[in-house]
Amino acid sequence: MATLDSKVPAGPLADKWRKHKADIKLVNPANKRKYEVIVVGAGLAGSSCAATLADLGYKVKCFVFHDSPRRAHSIAAQGGINAAKNYQNDGDSVYRLFYDTIKGGDYRSREANVHRLAEVSVNIIDQCAATGVPFAREYGGLLANRSFGGAQVSRTFYARGQTGQQLLLGAYSQLSRAVGAGTVELHTQSEMLDLVLVGGQAKGIITRDLVTGAIERHAGDAVVLATGGYGNVFNLSTYARGSNTTAIWRAYKRGACFANPCYTQIHPTCIPVSGDYQSKLTLMSESLRNDGRIWVPKRKEDCGKDPNAIAEGDRDYYLERMYPAFGNLCPRDIASRAAKRVCDEGRGVGPGGLGVYLDFSDAIRRLGENGVRERYGNLFDIYHEITAESAYQTPMRIFPAVHYTMGGLWVDYNLMSNIPGLFVLGEANFSDHGANRLGASALMQGLADGYFVIPYTIGDYLASQKPGSRPSADSVEFKGAEENVTAMTRRFLANQGREPVSHFHKRLGKIMWEFCGMARTREGLQKAVQQIPALREEFWANVRVPGSADTLNQSLEQAGRVADFLELGELMCRDALTREESCGGHFREEHQHPDGECKRDDANFGHVAAWEYQGPDKAPARNVEALNYEFVKMSVRNYK
Amino acid sequence: MVAANHSTQPLSLTLRVWRQAGPKEPGRFVDYPSKNLNPNMSFLEMLDVVNDELTAKGEEPIAFAHDCREGICGTCSCTINGKPHGPGRGVATCQVYVRSFRDGDVITVEPFRAEAFPIVKDLVTDRSAFDKIQQAGGFITARAGSAPDANAIPVPKGDADLAMDAATCIGCGACVAACKNASAMLFVAAKVGHLGLLPQGQAERDRRVLAMVQTMDDLGFGSCTNQYECSAACPKLISHEFIARMNRDYFKASLRSSFRPESLGAGGGAG
């Protein structure tokens, strides 16, 4: 069994990070250039990490499967980034941001990590402004803020509806600067396919050059994974099509524990599915909930009517009714489940009754159409492109969709996994969002990890490694890992199957959505745990991967990723099955309060479940890290 | 915005697609009839369907670049009926929907064509030249940990908004593909404009524009002859006025650099 030592420093909550930074080991400037760090992924966390480590003097190699680091899916985040700046003078503070995030996560995250996140949030905004991120401004030239779900202050910084894009381009510009200066060696279209352990420590990776097909071995003194989330296990999600679990899943199979895999965020405001061909669900930013009002008809009979013809009194603004204090701005998990509930009652709108209205007519009356356009114009455009409907004239139809995964590889306070030398940042790790992530917190975490946490904590590990002790990429461990990768490629290409990869991905997605989606039951999860291995067998027997290994082969890329999803999906269901409680995004029908809210079981499940691979066809081991709440009392979340 | 065809009738289209096995292989058009398409399907979803059919037949599917499928990552890059990103205005390839075509249409699908974007395979091109231009100067040097308070430097709202207009560039390369000279002026001007409008970007302003333009020229992009096809094809509708702005910046920076060469002692420190 793995030992899970969170390494949370002792002392008062607000002093932990400061004290830790003063206590951990440093690497002297002359030695830094003797260490080589491998960074996989170039989204917010990966880019900011690679650039910052290079600025510190480390040699950095950065790998990304995209053709440019600027394509990473952080780019698609719309709404904003939280920071406890209190520029609005509305009573915000580091403690409040910490508390909102802990509460939003339904008391399933680590206190010390979350407090650190809130502390460095203020530095992130400074850093981003310095790099030229064109945040929204007031006429006086100072930064503007908006409010977001789960908070009663305005602490969200934004750049129109393209905040993720601007933050990523900011981090990308810093990475580009380092690449131009020769301090980062950038490998684009290079996918990590295995992790190499030497003497039990992470010392390298195996990659495939997606253009030439070359399998390469890369050695480093430490490996950082910043490879994003795994929501595409559901096939349909708001993720980019290329987002995958492969890097972290292959690390899991090398011994890294996978924590809370079942914690999935279903975002309440996405454009509903329109057909079987669907490849992608598009998010409508949560910021729309600031001015849009969510409703369904009170009576089932009205569902087919033109929404503008339904009288005010016949509408059920159900979030405002059920959660008067937070209304349309209640947290995502709550808003999603409420939408599911009204649709289950038969009051959903649009094709298949799987939709609710998000209505801007009040906002248009208040702000004028131009006022609404200024705030949300690009989102309304996106909606129009996809549905051919104008949300200025008729309410948007929205429905929940998979959006983010709070689970990920287990890390300690230093963001190091249980494998020494393997660090995990951003969405790929598990630590900061508990069982539910609040809006505008993912961007905050990605940049916190990359700009302000890892640059300190990686030094503590590297200082324990002798400079120049990096193993050769010709060692047996590297050759073994390479053989592992090539064998899988050979197997795919030699397979005499009949079905394309997408066939299996869609079927897996349906199983996951039905049994491991917004509401889960013991019975359903047990079924999924039976069905997924059967589908996996069918996949390996019947998948067809045309083309060859020595050229760009998108079917081959996809096959490897879906093979990993077919294993991960089972682990998610096992995790959901074992967690006999409801918390945040994990809702078990058996465990709810009479009003339909999550019923946590802190006594038995107030812990992190970190799964450990035991070998093919063996049940994984479930390790536990107790969550010791020293400063906040675990209480029932109440947004009423 | 794509003109909406509100009909829900299924469509049949013929896709005439550029197939090219590798950078040095000859390419050719191949026709793929595609029947019974839902008008609400996206253009890329239509390619997915065609690819699944090809795979089931044991043929190699069409390689095409795509990722976010919501018009922001800049990966997708098809020239559809001769127009980069197809018939819509202000949209990327992934935001083109089948409803914008008519039943029976023959649709030509090609990669973005430019000497600086060599074809990798089928519809996929190598646009790493854009990254090289960014690496030459598309940044404000700001080490983590050294930034002043964000509100210490007010930025007039007008400047911030204009900088944001330029910063919305998704780096797709449609501007290059649309230009008869395959010029990258709009792409470079957008970055130069964005960073040059902000007070934070002033220290490196001259160096930035000189280095980025030099790199652009070195990488084989053509010259700008002010036809503005670039802006018309841009999925973010970035204005060609940024090109004029960059030309001014470039001119001033060239003058200043010839009268004010960099210190020979730069980079050294006392002690």
Side-chain angles (χ1 to χ4, degrees):
Chain A
M1 295 287 264
T3 39
L4 302 178
D5 176 2
S6 70
K7 301 212 178 91
V8 169
L13 185 62
D15 293 343
K16 284 181 192 290
W17 178 230
R18 196 170 48 218
K19 188 171 171 301
H20 189 63
K21 282 193 290 185
D23 289 347
I24 54 181
K25 292 185 214 113
L26 296 171
V27 177
N28 90 55
N31 273 348
K32 282 201 178 91
R33 58 176 167 268
K34 295 180 187 157
Y35 293 106
E36 195 157 302
V37 180
I38 288 172
V39 179
V40 185
L44 285 181
S47 286
S48 57
C49 161
T52 307
L53 294 182
D55 283 349
L56 285 172
Y58 296 109
K59 281 167 77 177
V60 178
K61 275 186 183 177
C62 181
F63 297 83
V64 54
F65 73 79
H66 296 93
D67 67 340
S68 162
R70 65 179 296 151
R71 314 274 188 229
H73 198 52
S74 309
I75 201 133
Q78 298 170 353
I81 177 165
N82 286 331
K85 279 289 199 185
N86 192 30
Y87 282 161
Q88 301 303 320
N89 200 28
D90 60 356
D92 200 10
S93 62
V94 165
Y95 185 82
R96 276 195 197 273
L97 174 54
F98 153 75
Y99 181 77
D100 287 348
T101 309
I102 281 275
K103 177 184 171 194
D106 215 356
Y107 305 94
R108 287 292 175 265
S109 41
R110 219 187 256 147
E111 273 185 328
N113 286 56
V114 178
H115 197 276
R116 173 176 66 189
L117 178 66
E119 284 171 59
V120 302
S121 70
V122 298
N123 307 109
I124 294 169
I125 300 304
D126 298 342
Q127 170 65 11
C128 292
T131 59
V133 170
F135 284 120
R137 304 245 165 198
E138 294 161 356
Y139 280 101
L142 302 180
L143 291 158
N145 290 111
R146 56 168 58 143
S147 52
F148 240 64
Q152 287 177 313
V153 294
S154 286
R155 62 160 73 102
T156 305
F157 295 79
Y158 63 100
R160 292 192 193 147
Q162 291 145 265
T163 316
Q165 181 200 24
Q166 294 311 315
L167 295 176
L168 180 66
L169 294 181
Y172 162 73
S173 73
Q174 297 309 301
L175 174 62
S176 297
R177 173 173 58 77
V179 174
T183 52
V184 172
E185 186 182 300
L186 179 65
H187 296 255
T188 57
Q189 299 188 86
S190 199
E191 180 166 30
M192 168 182 156
L193 293 178
D194 210 348
L195 176 74
V196 184
L197 268 56
V198 178
Q201 308 199 69
K203 291 295 170 191
I205 59 171
I206 306 295
T207 60
R208 178 171 181 271
D209 181 316
L210 300 182
V211 176
T212 65
I215 305 292
E216 295 170 5
R217 303 174 223 147
H218 296 277
D221 293 281
V223 176
V224 178
L225 301 184
T227 53
Y230 49 87
N232 271 345
V233 67
F234 290 86
N235 183 38
L236 288 182
S237 74
T238 66
Y239 286 66
R241 284 309 286 169
S243 302
N244 66 76
T245 189
T246 292
I248 58 172
W249 190 252
R250 307 234 172 141
Y252 163 76
K253 289 172 86 169
R254 293 282 177 191
C257 287
F258 205 125
N260 302 331
C262 80
Y263 288 169
T264 311
Q265 177 159 89
I266 316 274
H267 197 291
T269 55
C270 301
I271 300 179
V273 175
S274 73
D276 290 338
Y277 49 79
Q278 194 103 17
S279 63
K280 154 90 191 179
L281 296 173
T282 303
L283 174 77
M284 291 283 100
S285 166
E286 172 166 308
S287 61
L288 291 169
R289 291 200 273 147
N290 271 308
D291 289 302
R293 300 179 67 197
I294 295 177
W295 63 276
V296 289
K298 279 185 181 161
R299 293 187 303 262
K300 288 182 199 177
E301 307 82 80
D302 287 348
C303 290
K305 282 190 188 165
D306 171 5
N308 294 322
I310 299 173
E312 192 63 26
D314 293 334
R315 301 174 175 192
D316 178 12
Y317 295 92
Y318 57 89
L319 289 178
E320 296 169 31
R321 172 173 58 80
M322 296 193 284
Y323 308 100
F326 280 75
N328 292 298
L329 282 175
C330 65
R332 292 174 174 176
D333 53 335
I334 289 177
S336 291
R337 268 197 301 281
K340 180 181 189 304
R341 214 170 300 149
V342 294
C343 291
D344 287 348
E345 288 164 19
R347 295 192 289 140
V349 296
L354 294 176
V356 300
Y357 289 124
L358 176 60
D359 194 334
F360 289 86
S361 45
D362 277 3
I364 290 171
R365 268 193 293 278
R366 185 160 40 87
L367 305 164
E369 196 173 306
N370 276 334
V372 170
R373 182 169 287 120
E374 173 147 329
R375 286 186 195 179
Y376 310 110
N378 73 313
L379 299 171
F380 279 48
D381 289 350
I382 292 171
Y383 186 77
H384 180 262
E385 276 149 20
I386 295 173
T387 62
E389 288 175 10
S390 164
Y392 297 105
Q393 274 137 36
T394 184
M396 284 184 184
R397 279 178 300 107
I398 54 164
F399 197 65
V402 173
H403 181 57
Y404 189 89
T405 48
M406 282 73 70
L409 293 187
W410 183 89
V411 289
D412 64 15
Y413 189 68
N414 293 322
L415 303 182
M416 188 161 85
S417 73
N418 56 305
I419 297 177
L422 179 69
F423 293 80
V424 192
L425 317 185
E427 190 177 351
N429 78 24
F430 88 104
S431 64
D432 292 6
H433 305 296
N436 173 59
R437 179 177 65 75
L438 288 183
S441 286
L443 301 179
M444 172 170 70
Q445 189 218 342
L447 289 178
D449 289 0
Y451 275 136
F452 296 109
V453 179
I454 190 81
Y456 292 91
T457 59
I458 202 168
D460 191 49
Y461 168 75
L462 290 174
S464 71
Q465 306 293 303
K466 210 170 139 237
S469 66
R470 181 170 60 248
S472 151
D474 293 326
S475 63
V476 298
E477 291 88 347
F478 278 87
K479 287 182 175 157
E482 180 182 336
E483 181 43 37
N484 182 34
V485 167
T486 18
M488 191 166 176
T489 304
R490 269 199 305 270
R491 188 175 168 191
F492 276 130
L493 294 172
N495 212 33
Q496 295 299 314
R498 305 176 68 84
E499 298 286 355
V501 176
S502 67
H503 170 85
F504 300 97
H505 198 180
K506 283 179 185 169
R507 284 172 59 193
L508 173 66
K510 282 191 181 134
I511 297 173
M512 293 302 292
W513 182 244
E514 184 173 354
F515 299 121
C516 202
M518 269 187 284
R520 303 158 173 182
T521 63
R522 184 175 308 120
E523 202 193 347
L525 290 163
Q526 278 165 347
K527 259 191 221 163
V529 171
Q530 300 296 317
Q531 289 180 8
I532 296 170
L535 181 63
R536 197 162 58 224
E537 255 179 55
E538 205 187 319
F539 169 80
W540 282 104
N542 205 21
V543 71
R544 175 146 208 165
V545 182
S548 63
D550 54 359
T551 159
L552 177 68
N553 187 337
Q554 294 173 323
S555 306
L556 181 62
E557 295 165 23
Q558 217 187 344
R561 295 168 191 169
V562 171
D564 293 337
F565 282 138
L566 281 162
E567 296 179 1
L568 166 67
E570 184 187 341
L571 185 71
M572 290 169 71
C573 293
R574 273 180 197 277
D575 186 42
L577 190 57
T578 325
R579 189 167 280 279
E580 290 281 357
E581 63 162 355
S582 293
C583 55
H586 169 63
F587 188 76
R588 284 280 304 266
E589 299 269 13
E590 300 92 337
H591 306 289
Q592 54 179 308
H593 290 288
D595 59 358
E597 300 295 347
C598 282
K599 192 171 175 188
R600 286 200 329 260
D601 178 353
D602 295 338
N604 293 305
F605 291 96
H607 60 237
V608 176
W611 295 85
E612 190 182 353
Y613 187 67
Q614 302 290 309
D617 307 317
K618 288 197 187 128
R622 187 178 188 269
N623 299 302
V624 161
E625 178 203 335
L627 290 168
N628 301 317
Y629 274 61
E630 293 178 74
F631 304 95
V632 170
K633 193 173 160 292
M634 284 185 179
S635 55
V636 177
R637 275 197 315 173
N638 182 359
Y639 291 95
K640 294 184 170 164
Chain B
M1 207 115 320
V2 179
N5 165 3
H6 286 281
S7 160
T8 52
Q9 288 299 309
L11 276 73
S12 293
L13 303 169
T14 301
L15 297 177
R16 181 161 293 167
V17 182
W18 184 260
R19 300 299 306 262
Q20 182 172 336
K24 301 212 162 66
E25 308 293 324
R28 66 194 173 98
F29 282 107
V30 179
D31 281 4
Y32 299 98
S34 203
K35 293 199 173 68
N36 217 10
L37 302 166
N38 184 317
N40 288 320
M41 192 182 234
S42 77
F43 182 82
L44 295 185
E45 285 166 347
M46 173 170 67
L47 287 182
D48 290 339
V49 171
V50 170
N51 274 348
D52 280 355
E53 289 166 4
L54 289 174
T55 304
K57 284 193 280 185
E59 291 175 39
E60 248 200 273
I62 304 159
F64 65 97
H66 66 94
D67 198 30
C68 79
R69 300 205 176 196
E70 50 184 291
I72 197 75
C73 74
T75 310
C76 63
S77 44
C78 292
T79 295
I80 304 168
N81 287 338
K83 231 187 122 190
H85 293 313
R89 188 175 140 75
V91 294
T93 304
C94 64
Q95 297 166 294
V96 174
Y97 285 79
V98 167
R99 71 173 84 91
S100 50
F101 303 102
R102 275 174 310 191
D103 192 38
D105 279 357
V106 177
I107 304 169
T108 312
V109 191
E110 297 169 83
F112 279 4
R113 297 203 190 265
E115 197 184 307
F117 294 165
I119 292 176
V120 175
K121 187 176 187 176
D122 297 339
L123 304 173
V124 180
T125 57
D126 175 358
R127 289 166 287 175
S128 55
F130 270 11
D131 286 324
K132 295 196 181 91
I133 297 174
Q134 297 274 11
Q135 289 154 14
F139 47 78
I140 293 170
T141 301
R143 259 183 312 102
S146 60
D149 185 89
N151 261 350
I153 312 166
V155 181
K157 186 176 187 304
D159 290 352
D161 286 348
L162 196 56
M164 180 66 197
D165 288 348
T168 55
C169 169
I170 60 173
C172 63
C175 47
V176 176
C179 176
K180 63 185 165 68
N181 306 321
S183 167
M185 282 290 270
L186 187 65
F187 169 77
V188 179
K191 191 45 64 184
V192 165
H194 157 211
L195 299 177
L197 275 158
L198 299 172
Q200 296 90 325
Q202 298 312 307
E204 290 162 298
R205 186 169 174 170
D206 286 1
R207 286 185 61 171
R208 177 183 311 119
V209 67
L210 294 174
M212 290 181 83
V213 169
Q214 181 66 52
T215 309
M216 170 182 81
D217 290 344
D218 292 348
L219 289 168
F221 292 100
S223 299
C224 175
T225 44
N226 293 296
Q227 309 275 294
Y228 311 141
E229 295 279 359
C230 48
S231 282
C234 175
K236 296 296 162 192
L237 299 174
I238 292 173
S239 166
H240 55 262
E241 285 174 17
F242 287 107
I243 295 179
R245 187 178 279 276
M246 180 169 81
N247 283 332
R248 282 200 300 276
D249 256 27
Y250 182 79
F251 177 69
K252 286 188 210 161
S254 307
L255 275 181
R256 277 196 290 261
S257 71
S258 57
F259 288 112
R260 203 175 55 197
E262 286 195 0
S263 160
L264 293 174

